[in-house]
Amino acid sequence: MREDPRSLPTELRPYLEELVRRARTVCGPHLVSVLAVGSLALGDYRHGRSDVDVTVVVEPALPGPALHDLAGALAHPHLPCPAAGLELVVYGTDFVRRPSGAAGYLLDLNTGPLLPNRADVEAARSPAFWYVIDRSVAHQTGLTLFGRPAREVVAAPDRPDLLAAIRASVREHSDGEGHLADNRVLNGCRSVVFCRTGRWTAKRTAAREVALAEEEFRPLIEAAVRSFERPRSSAIPLPTAEVRAFLAWVRARVDQTARAAGA
């Protein structure tokens, strides 16, 4: 791998090396880049809690069947995932090199011991906001596991599109369906810090910043951090009303930033 292995968690190094090897085998010369994004790129990976987030960039000439073959080659347990799960997204260079507010993927693969298997190729039917945010993180701090560096292949989304995506993510977390309460709170902190600074930070770093500045929410945020540091199976329940109140506050901060930017 191109990335210094010391920058990657010990528990994941053999897995990521094998993932790259299989991607190269399946995609051949059409493989442009394999990038670690998400918590790995932001230095906040928690073994037993975090997913492994990977972005793969390929040439548009990649044969269609290769996407199916890649999903099969990387699916758990065929390739056992040591983390909670693998969230891998494949993009074509023709899409990802330009700013976009669309999902735009060729393949979205979810697999692993704590994730339901999903291999989707219908980007037009998916909510775009997660992919827009992930591409923003990739452009800012993506770790190159193979091929060309992230900033050379992944364009940063335009600010109005990105702020619209952040607004949508906050609405999603406000609904609460399918998300752990601690993750909803910490993602809210990260969104607020991005709106203030224009940069993505690790969830726990963002939580410390918001907790210091917002005394009203400090106990909730500190409880969310303690829960996040535990395995998913032993996450600490958080008061529903307090989580909703905090996310309403987050949404107001994000809406204010988006309006100022014309989003």
Side-chain angles (χ1 to χ4, degrees):
M1 291 188 295
R2 284 192 52 178
E3 190 62 39
D4 182 350
R6 291 172 296 181
S7 67
L8 298 168
T10 304
E11 303 94 336
L12 296 182
R13 291 173 197 167
Y15 174 73
L16 291 172
E17 288 172 356
E18 180 61 15
L19 184 152
V20 169
R21 189 193 69 79
R22 294 189 183 200
R24 295 181 70 180
T25 298
V26 173
C27 299
H30 301 294
L31 183 64
V32 175
S33 298
V34 181
L35 310 168
V37 297
S39 60
L40 285 173
L42 294 170
D44 203 29
Y45 175 82
R46 291 284 306 166
H47 199 62
R49 161 53 75 105
S50 302
D51 296 318
V52 177
D53 296 289
V54 175
T55 293
V56 175
V57 180
V58 298
E59 294 289 355
L62 179 76
L67 295 172
H68 178 270
D69 294 344
L70 183 63
L74 302 181
H76 177 88
H78 183 58
L79 175 59
C81 180
L86 169 68
E87 295 188 349
L88 179 139
V89 182
V90 180
Y91 294 105
T93 54
D94 53 342
F95 172 80
V96 81
R97 70 188 175 198
R98 297 185 179 90
S100 176
Y105 58 80
L106 300 175
L107 170 68
D108 181 15
L109 174 67
N110 286 1
T111 188
L114 297 181
L115 285 183
N117 283 321
R118 173 178 179 266
D120 183 66
V121 295
E122 299 291 340
R125 298 191 301 189
S126 295
F129 59 89
W130 294 126
Y131 307 94
V132 176
I133 292 171
D134 283 350
R135 292 197 300 272
S136 178
V137 174
H139 179 83
Q140 177 190 295
T141 55
L143 302 178
T144 305
L145 306 180
F146 170 82
R148 292 166 57 190
R151 283 191 172 229
E152 291 185 8
V153 294
V154 180
D158 291 331
R159 186 167 175 80
D161 285 337
L162 181 54
L163 289 170
I166 294 172
R167 293 172 86 177
S169 75
V170 174
R171 287 196 298 270
E172 169 85 4
H173 282 304
S174 297
D175 293 340
E177 294 297 324
H179 300 284
L180 290 171
D182 56 17
N183 201 43
R184 295 163 62 200
V185 170
L186 297 185
N187 268 328
C189 292
R190 195 174 69 167
S191 295
V192 168
V193 170
F194 180 86
C195 288
R196 290 175 177 172
T197 67
R199 289 192 60 80
W200 295 108
T201 58
K203 291 176 182 176
R204 287 177 292 180
T205 301
R208 286 193 295 270
E209 291 188 26
V210 176
L212 282 172
E214 306 296 335
E215 186 174 355
E216 174 187 358
F217 298 117
R218 191 174 301 160
L220 175 68
I221 294 170
E222 290 175 345
V225 170
R226 289 194 298 272
S227 178
F228 181 72
E229 291 174 345
R230 298 161 65 101
R232 290 190 188 192
S233 58
S234 56
I236 300 171
L238 301 178
T240 300
E242 292 182 27
V243 172
R244 286 178 177 165
F246 174 70
L247 291 174
W249 175 82
V250 170
R251 186 170 178 175
R253 304 285 79 70
V254 175
D255 285 348
Q256 182 180 42
T257 304
R259 285 194 299 270

